[in-house]
mmCIF file of all heavy atoms in Angstrom:
data_model
loop_
_atom_site.group_PDB
_atom_site.id
_atom_site.type_symbol
_atom_site.label_atom_id
_atom_site.label_comp_id
_atom_site.label_asym_id
_atom_site.label_seq_id
_atom_site.Cartn_x
_atom_site.Cartn_y
_atom_site.Cartn_z
ATOM 1 N N GLY E 69 71.446 76.452 99.143
ATOM 2 C CA GLY E 69 71.417 77.198 97.836
ATOM 3 C C GLY E 69 70.608 78.559 97.985
ATOM 4 O O GLY E 69 70.770 79.510 97.263
ATOM 5 N N ALA E 70 69.798 78.615 99.082
ATOM 6 C CA ALA E 70 68.955 79.700 99.270
ATOM 7 C C ALA E 70 69.598 80.860 99.936
ATOM 8 O O ALA E 70 69.112 81.915 100.143
ATOM 9 C CB ALA E 70 67.648 79.397 99.959
ATOM 10 N N ILE E 71 70.860 80.526 100.563
ATOM 11 C CA ILE E 71 71.604 81.461 101.289
ATOM 12 C C ILE E 71 72.657 82.200 100.412
ATOM 13 O O ILE E 71 73.262 81.752 99.675
ATOM 14 C CB ILE E 71 72.298 80.921 102.340
ATOM 15 C CG1 ILE E 71 71.481 80.011 103.301
ATOM 16 C CG2 ILE E 71 73.240 81.860 103.272
ATOM 17 C CD1 ILE E 71 70.537 80.756 104.097
ATOM 18 N N ASP E 72 72.648 83.620 100.427
ATOM 19 C CA ASP E 72 73.492 84.359 99.571
ATOM 20 C C ASP E 72 74.700 84.635 100.479
ATOM 21 O O ASP E 72 74.673 85.137 101.550
ATOM 22 C CB ASP E 72 72.825 85.569 99.152
ATOM 23 C CG ASP E 72 73.777 86.453 98.220
ATOM 24 O OD1 ASP E 72 74.465 85.802 97.537
ATOM 25 O OD2 ASP E 72 73.603 87.697 98.312
ATOM 26 N N VAL E 73 75.990 84.342 99.909
ATOM 27 C CA VAL E 73 77.145 84.668 100.734
ATOM 28 C C VAL E 73 77.954 85.761 100.026
ATOM 29 O O VAL E 73 78.124 85.618 98.796
ATOM 30 C CB VAL E 73 78.049 83.303 100.772
ATOM 31 C CG1 VAL E 73 79.413 83.704 101.488
ATOM 32 C CG2 VAL E 73 77.360 82.238 101.506
ATOM 33 N N SER E 74 78.299 86.838 100.687
ATOM 34 C CA SER E 74 78.947 87.923 100.153
ATOM 35 C C SER E 74 80.288 88.042 100.792
ATOM 36 O O SER E 74 80.553 87.563 101.796
ATOM 37 C CB SER E 74 78.093 89.321 100.211
ATOM 38 O OG SER E 74 77.949 89.421 101.487
ATOM 39 N N ASP E 75 81.247 88.881 100.070
ATOM 40 C CA ASP E 75 82.467 89.180 100.527
ATOM 41 C C ASP E 75 82.435 90.057 101.739
ATOM 42 O O ASP E 75 81.356 90.824 101.895
ATOM 43 C CB ASP E 75 83.278 89.810 99.487
ATOM 44 C CG ASP E 75 83.513 88.877 98.304
ATOM 45 O OD1 ASP E 75 83.443 87.639 98.314
ATOM 46 O OD2 ASP E 75 83.858 89.375 97.175
ATOM 47 N N ILE E 76 83.493 90.201 102.532
ATOM 48 C CA ILE E 76 83.544 90.918 103.716
ATOM 49 C C ILE E 76 84.502 92.077 103.562
ATOM 50 O O ILE E 76 85.505 91.855 103.170
ATOM 51 C CB ILE E 76 83.957 90.118 104.918
ATOM 52 C CG1 ILE E 76 83.047 88.962 105.273
ATOM 53 C CG2 ILE E 76 84.077 90.957 106.163
ATOM 54 C CD1 ILE E 76 83.672 87.978 106.294
ATOM 55 N N GLU E 77 83.955 93.276 103.789
ATOM 56 C CA GLU E 77 84.761 94.558 103.522
ATOM 57 C C GLU E 77 85.391 94.960 104.906
ATOM 58 O O GLU E 77 84.533 95.126 105.763
ATOM 59 C CB GLU E 77 83.972 95.605 102.932
ATOM 60 C CG GLU E 77 83.316 95.297 101.637
ATOM 61 C CD GLU E 77 84.374 95.175 100.434
ATOM 62 O OE1 GLU E 77 85.364 95.798 100.447
ATOM 63 O OE2 GLU E 77 84.085 94.447 99.554
ATOM 64 N N THR E 78 86.631 95.038 105.094
ATOM 65 C CA THR E 78 87.232 95.569 106.372
ATOM 66 C C THR E 78 88.034 96.862 106.050
ATOM 67 O O THR E 78 88.496 97.056 105.041
ATOM 68 C CB THR E 78 88.172 94.369 106.975
ATOM 69 O OG1 THR E 78 89.229 94.293 106.190
ATOM 70 C CG2 THR E 78 87.377 93.252 107.303
ATOM 71 N N ALA E 79 88.010 97.696 107.123
ATOM 72 C CA ALA E 79 88.839 98.980 107.043
ATOM 73 C C ALA E 79 89.326 99.414 108.389
ATOM 74 O O ALA E 79 88.846 98.831 109.333
ATOM 75 C CB ALA E 79 87.956 99.916 106.525
ATOM 76 N N ASN E 80 90.210 100.142 108.482
ATOM 77 C CA ASN E 80 90.928 100.640 109.716
ATOM 78 C C ASN E 80 90.226 102.075 110.165
ATOM 79 O O ASN E 80 90.918 102.656 110.956
ATOM 80 C CB ASN E 80 92.310 100.746 109.610
ATOM 81 C CG ASN E 80 92.799 101.938 108.723
ATOM 82 O OD1 ASN E 80 92.088 102.228 107.739
ATOM 83 N ND2 ASN E 80 93.973 102.341 108.950
ATOM 84 N N TYR E 81 89.156 102.389 109.656
ATOM 85 C CA TYR E 81 88.610 103.742 109.871
ATOM 86 C C TYR E 81 87.095 103.621 110.062
ATOM 87 O O TYR E 81 86.513 102.700 109.487
ATOM 88 C CB TYR E 81 89.013 104.663 108.968
ATOM 89 C CG TYR E 81 88.522 104.501 107.457
ATOM 90 C CD1 TYR E 81 87.351 104.903 106.974
ATOM 91 C CD2 TYR E 81 89.380 103.735 106.571
ATOM 92 C CE1 TYR E 81 86.877 104.724 105.788
ATOM 93 C CE2 TYR E 81 88.794 103.522 105.319
ATOM 94 C CZ TYR E 81 87.539 103.940 104.884
ATOM 95 O OH TYR E 81 87.177 103.742 103.593
ATOM 96 N N VAL E 82 86.313 104.628 110.698
ATOM 97 C CA VAL E 82 84.990 104.823 110.587
ATOM 98 C C VAL E 82 84.771 106.225 110.094
ATOM 99 O O VAL E 82 85.616 107.129 110.255
ATOM 100 C CB VAL E 82 84.278 104.570 111.992
ATOM 101 C CG1 VAL E 82 84.487 103.107 112.427
ATOM 102 C CG2 VAL E 82 84.976 105.443 113.065
ATOM 103 N N LYS E 83 83.555 106.412 109.360
ATOM 104 C CA LYS E 83 83.235 107.699 108.822
ATOM 105 C C LYS E 83 82.388 108.446 109.959
ATOM 106 O O LYS E 83 81.374 107.822 110.348
ATOM 107 C CB LYS E 83 82.573 107.600 107.601
ATOM 108 C CG LYS E 83 83.322 107.164 106.486
ATOM 109 C CD LYS E 83 83.546 108.263 105.453
ATOM 110 C CE LYS E 83 84.359 107.702 104.245
ATOM 111 N NZ LYS E 83 85.056 108.852 103.653
ATOM 112 N N ILE E 84 82.703 109.710 110.294
ATOM 113 C CA ILE E 84 82.044 110.360 111.359
ATOM 114 C C ILE E 84 81.661 111.800 110.723
ATOM 115 O O ILE E 84 82.504 112.427 110.125
ATOM 116 C CB ILE E 84 82.761 110.538 112.713
ATOM 117 C CG1 ILE E 84 83.138 109.104 113.147
ATOM 118 C CG2 ILE E 84 81.962 111.325 113.601
ATOM 119 C CD1 ILE E 84 84.088 109.223 114.448
ATOM 120 N N LYS E 85 80.311 112.105 110.848
ATOM 121 C CA LYS E 85 79.902 113.387 110.354
ATOM 122 C C LYS E 85 80.265 114.576 111.287
ATOM 123 O O LYS E 85 79.829 114.360 112.479
ATOM 124 C CB LYS E 85 78.373 113.502 110.034
ATOM 125 C CG LYS E 85 77.927 114.708 109.347
ATOM 126 C CD LYS E 85 76.543 114.711 108.974
ATOM 127 C CE LYS E 85 76.081 115.967 108.219
ATOM 128 N NZ LYS E 85 74.887 116.052 107.910
#
Side-chain angles (χ1 to χ4, degrees):
I71 305 295
D72 186 28
V73 177
S74 60
D75 298 338
I76 300 170
E77 303 290 330
T78 64
N80 68 333
Y81 64 90
V82 293
K83 294 253 185 196
I84 300 173
K85 186 174 183 179

